[in-house]
Amino acid sequence: MAFNEDIANRVRQSIALIPEPFTEKKMFGGIAFLYKGKMTVGVVKEELMVRVFENKMQPLLDQAHVRPMDFTGKPMKEFIFVALEEFKTEEQLQLFIELGLEHAKSKL
């Protein structure tokens, strides 16, 4: 499994502050963090993977270091990849985690 363990540890530290249970699962060749079985965020290689609502995709994609998740060779619906430059601070990382959590909660 090839993923940046430092990014994964930052995600673990951030989700530990949320008083709700998360689990980890190997997905997409990396690691995903699930809320009640629903994917929120993950780490694939050197990027953060985030599941977001379709109506929030374009503003995120307008950011310099965010791109559609193209794991299968074509963009996947409601998934983005975020390069480290876009979440250098813990506050920036937390915003992406909250987007993923918002999406997961909508699927319950």
Side-chain angles (χ1 to χ4, degrees):
M1 181 169 21
F3 64 90
N4 184 311
E5 191 65 45
D6 291 334
I7 297 172
N9 285 333
R10 286 181 61 201
V11 172
R12 287 181 187 106
Q13 290 173 353
S14 290
I15 64 174
L17 301 173
I18 300 170
E20 301 176 86
F22 282 79
T23 56
E24 296 181 21
K25 183 176 183 179
K26 295 176 184 179
M27 293 177 73
F28 302 111
I31 189 164
F33 298 88
L34 292 80
Y35 170 77
K36 296 186 178 181
K38 305 298 180 190
M39 201 292 239
T40 58
V41 299
V43 182
V44 176
K45 296 182 183 177
E46 299 294 319
E47 295 180 296
L48 189 68
M49 167 181 59
V50 186
R51 188 137 193 220
V52 298
F53 287 119
E54 183 70 31
N55 65 340
K56 295 186 178 189
M57 290 283 290
Q58 194 55 55
L60 292 167
L61 293 172
D62 290 340
Q63 296 178 33
H65 303 286
V66 178
R67 64 186 178 91
M69 183 176 166
D70 56 356
F71 187 76
T72 62
K74 64 178 186 172
M76 293 179 66
K77 184 178 177 185
E78 297 186 330
F79 280 94
I80 57 172
F81 277 140
V82 185
L84 183 58
E85 292 83 1
E86 204 65 51
F87 61 98
K88 288 181 180 178
T89 69
E90 298 316 304
E91 292 80 13
Q92 291 170 316
L93 175 60
Q94 192 64 37
L95 289 173
F96 286 107
I97 291 171
E98 289 172 10
L99 285 169
L101 182 59
E102 174 186 44
H103 190 282
K105 286 182 174 181
S106 76
K107 299 299 181 184
L108 298 176

